Amino acid sequence: MARFMATVRGVAPWAAQNADGAIALGLAIVVGVLGVMPEDIFGADGVDVQRQLVSAATLVILALVATALLRDRARQAPVEATITSGALADLPQRLRRLDEIDTLVAGTRKALDSLQLVRVLGSRQEIAQAHAEARKDTTRWSFKGGTGTYLRAVTLPECAAAARRVKRHLTVRIEVIDPSNAEVCETYAHYRRSLSDVPDGTGETWTTDRVRKESFATILAAFWHRQRYGLLDIGVGLSATMTTFRWDLSASRLIMTVEDPNRAMTALAGTFFYENCDTELRLSFEQARQVPLEMYKRVPLSDEPTVEEVQELFERIGVPLPRAYNEHDVVAIARKALRAVNPYKS
């Protein structure tokens, strides 16, 4: 009995809050009981009485259910009105704000990507890999630096060979120190010696004479490659000033190296830094003294250029070799042009 009373007390609050539902449930139970009771319990007219009771109880149940539905609808009406007039009414504006936020986020992401100007390379291997990726499938190359030793040893021959294999057009722009300008050659040699007075990766030390020969060799290499590949558009500019950086810019990336063979910077195409360096290299090249590469047909060069061919070439293009140069010096220039030693090879 005590357990029954406890159950009743537990159910009572729910029944009070849901009186119509509780009554409907109770009547449904009564109707069910009446439907299964024997007909003779209600007397002679037991069948009619039973049916009337069931019908009446059923109508009451339906009325209570209808009442419960109307009550719930009345309770929900203010909530629906609040939602409709509040959050749903503001939904179009909120969606527009979300679109604006998405646009802002996309613009911010693009700006952040552009702000990632450069990535520092910290080893010879990383620098070599960056150069290899820059050369891959490129259709253009711009160089500005000292004398272009690495350009002659690796970049120019490999880019030209790759373009020739697939018959692809290749545009190359090279800016190096003017070998006829003794002052800038001496300045560059002094700068390189001040950093290290021991031989570099080529096995040579830096002197004014070496600077001049390296620049002459770059000019000779440009003519030699131009004569051997018709789709090579190459230009050489001679600068009256030196730079402590070396720029190598391809269609996919920029690489800036310094005298430390284990340190460099790189930036991908499309970034703010790449685009501005591209503009800088273009303007700098235009201001440099131009070598008349269009004369490449007038002075043919052999696969192994002779001393006479080299001397005539430099005379015809207006960049004559020093009179003090003998046959040994001319041969050294030809060797540097076509068989340059990679100064960064470990």
Side-chain angles (χ1 to χ4, degrees), residues 18-83:
N18 302 275
D20 46 5
I23 294 171
L25 177 61
L27 289 174
I29 295 173
V30 171
V31 170
V33 172
L34 291 175
V36 298
M37 290 179 65
E39 298 174 355
D40 55 0
I41 293 179
F42 300 98
D45 298 327
V47 175
D48 294 334
V49 174
Q50 186 181 31
R51 290 177 180 175
Q52 291 176 2
L53 289 174
V54 172
S55 298
T58 302
L59 291 174
V60 174
I61 292 172
L62 291 174
L64 290 171
V65 171
T67 302
L69 291 174
L70 291 173
R71 184 195 62 184
D72 290 342
R73 183 169 296 177
R75 290 177 178 175
Q76 292 175 3
V79 178
E80 293 177 353
T82 301
I83 294 174

Side-chain angles (χ1 to χ4, degrees), residues 114-134:
S114 296
L115 287 174
Q116 294 177 353
L117 299 181
V118 295
R119 180 168 64 90
V120 176
L121 307 177
S123 68
R124 292 173 183 262
Q125 292 74 21
E126 279 190 295
I127 297 173
Q129 179 63 29
H131 274 92
E133 292 174 357

Side-chain angles (χ1 to χ4, degrees), residues 173 175 237 279-290:
R173 294 292 177 264
E175 184 179 346
T279 302
E280 169 68 21
L281 293 178
R282 288 174 182 268
L283 293 176
S284 180
F285 181 81
E286 290 176 0
Q287 296 176 70
R289 175 189 174 191
Q290 301 297 308

